[in-house]
Amino acid sequence: MPVGSFRHSAQAPSSIVMIRPHRFSPNAQTASDNAFQADPIGDPVMVAKNAYAEVTGASDILNRYGIRTHVFEDETVDTPDAVFPNNWFSTHVGGHVANYPMYASNRRRERRADVIDMLKSNYRVQDVIDYSGLEHDGLYLEGTGAMVLDHIDRVAYAVQSNRTDPVALERFCTHFNYEPMVFEARDRNAKAIYHTNVLMCIATNFVLICLDMIDDDMRKQQIIERLEASGKDVIALSEDQIGNFAGNAIELQGSQGRILALSKRAFSALTKAQIKTIEASAIPVPINVPTIELAGGSVRCMMAGIHLAAR
């Protein structure tokens, strides 16, 4: 096992929420600013069945590593992105929960009272801060998709996009005691990156990030220095690796140590040297989710971490 991986880390939750979709399809309302989306090929019914099976398989794999997975069913016909719950809520040490304002109108229907009720029943929840009313003012902040949070050093890294409003970000950072680090990031076609968590992943001892996509050289250096000051190894990803969702990973605390959950496609895109750095502190756990990746998100997007004390 990696040295130190048994120690509790504020960065790596041991429980998560997942949503199993019954009628999955890529979201037409998000296609315009999500360059990672792709149109599915084949029978829509089979596409939906494959996505359902992929969530089930991911949950089974994580359970074997000792991750507690709370799986909810989504049987609606009008929430195509329900499989990505990390965008509409997040949880935080001290018993805090946040609900977020969503950019696409059909994504606002993903918010579920039963998920919040489960958290209150199984974990110590002190308060729920609801930012969803900002939608009426055209202000959006799509949770831990819009922000990649360093829970240890209290930094919120955020790419500027339609999904990340600076006013909403400032409110979150004030309430939850994070330092905002905002930057612009674009792909080789000059298209803005829609969510920060496709660009970077912060784990306890390392960071996966595509520095080449950050436009401003001065801001890029500031981000590098901030990450290095936290004592983490910076693993630089290429744009091609980002296109294969290598940045869309999440560190979790299993019963036998920390793991890094990522897709098989993402793992295959990593170099041996990058994998070796990861393995020094976490076990990479590849999960096959090719159907869900058609919607423009991968394993990280599928999991809402629970940073709450169990009852």
Side-chain angles (χ1 to χ4, degrees):
M1 295 300 300
V3 176
S5 66
F6 285 97
R7 282 193 229 110
H8 175 75
S9 168
Q11 193 66 30
S14 58
S15 302
I16 60 171
V17 169
M18 299 183 74
I19 308 292
R20 184 160 43 202
H22 290 239
R23 297 177 179 87
F24 169 88
S25 66
N27 190 352
Q29 289 192 20
T30 61
S32 62
D33 69 340
N34 184 346
F36 296 83
Q37 260 184 246
D39 292 327
I41 298 173
D43 178 13
V45 174
M46 283 306 303
V47 168
K49 286 184 177 180
N50 289 340
Y52 180 94
E54 287 171 12
V55 174
T56 302
S59 175
D60 290 344
I61 289 169
L62 295 175
N63 284 333
R64 290 199 293 270
Y65 279 91
I67 309 300
R68 186 180 185 187
T69 60
H70 300 275
V71 180
F72 288 78
E73 307 294 327
D74 179 68
E75 300 184 33
T76 65
V77 297
D78 54 2
T79 51
D81 276 336
V83 72
F84 302 137
N86 77 308
N87 298 141
W88 69 262
F89 83 95
S90 67
T91 66
H92 302 267
V93 171
H96 309 296
V97 178
N99 284 340
Y100 294 102
M102 307 290 282
Y103 177 66
S105 59
N106 63 5
R107 295 216 62 191
R108 299 166 194 173
R109 294 191 285 266
E110 296 172 25
R111 291 189 287 260
R112 301 173 56 147
D114 59 345
V115 172
I116 303 302
D117 288 342
M118 181 280 294
L119 293 173
K120 291 177 178 178
S121 296
N122 291 273
Y123 302 89
R124 298 191 181 280
V125 174
Q126 298 298 321
D127 54 26
V128 179
I129 299 178
D130 190 355
Y131 299 105
S132 62
L134 294 174
E135 290 165 353
H136 302 294
D137 300 314
L139 307 178
Y140 311 111
L141 183 67
E142 294 190 342
T144 54
M147 305 174 289
V148 172
L149 301 177
D150 186 331
H151 294 275
I152 299 171
D153 270 37
R154 313 300 296 176
V155 182
Y157 295 89
V159 168
Q160 295 179 11
S161 76
N162 296 332
R163 322 285 187 95
T164 308
D165 184 89
V167 173
L169 176 65
E170 189 64 39
R171 289 193 187 183
F172 168 84
C173 288
T174 299
H175 281 147
F176 287 89
N177 191 31
Y178 282 87
E179 170 195 350
M181 288 283 287
V182 182
F183 56 98
E184 293 185 5
R186 301 180 184 277
D187 63 21
R188 58 172 59 97
N189 297 315
K191 189 175 182 67
I193 300 300
Y194 81 106
H195 270 168
T196 314
N197 76 356
V198 297
L199 180 78
M200 68 184 298
C201 160
I202 296 178
T204 303
N205 294 324
F206 63 87
V207 179
L208 298 164
I209 183 171
C210 183
L211 298 166
D212 293 342
M213 287 180 161
I214 301 175
D215 292 339
D216 187 292
D217 287 338
M218 182 177 295
R219 192 56 167 161
K220 181 190 302 185
Q221 188 58 38
Q222 290 171 342
I223 290 169
I224 293 171
E225 290 173 358
R226 191 70 181 84
L227 291 170
E228 289 180 340
S230 70
K232 295 176 174 62
D233 292 321
V234 178
I235 302 173
L237 300 176
S238 69
E239 185 165 343
D240 286 340
Q241 288 176 317
I242 294 299
N244 285 297
F245 296 103
N248 197 242
I250 180 171
E251 185 185 53
L252 302 168
Q253 182 69 49
S255 57
Q256 299 299 313
R258 290 194 295 272
I259 69 169
L260 184 72
L262 73 173
S263 74
K264 285 189 175 180
R265 176 179 173 184
F267 183 75
S268 297
L270 296 174
T271 67
K272 290 181 179 179
Q274 290 168 335
I275 293 170
K276 184 177 180 181
T277 302
I278 292 168
E279 289 178 334
S281 61
I283 301 170
V285 177
I287 300 171
N288 199 34
V289 291
T291 308
I292 289 166
E293 286 177 330
L294 295 172
S298 188
V299 166
R300 172 63 186 98
C301 300
M302 295 166 58
M303 301 173 189
I306 301 177
H307 297 268
L308 302 169
R311 287 193 176 277

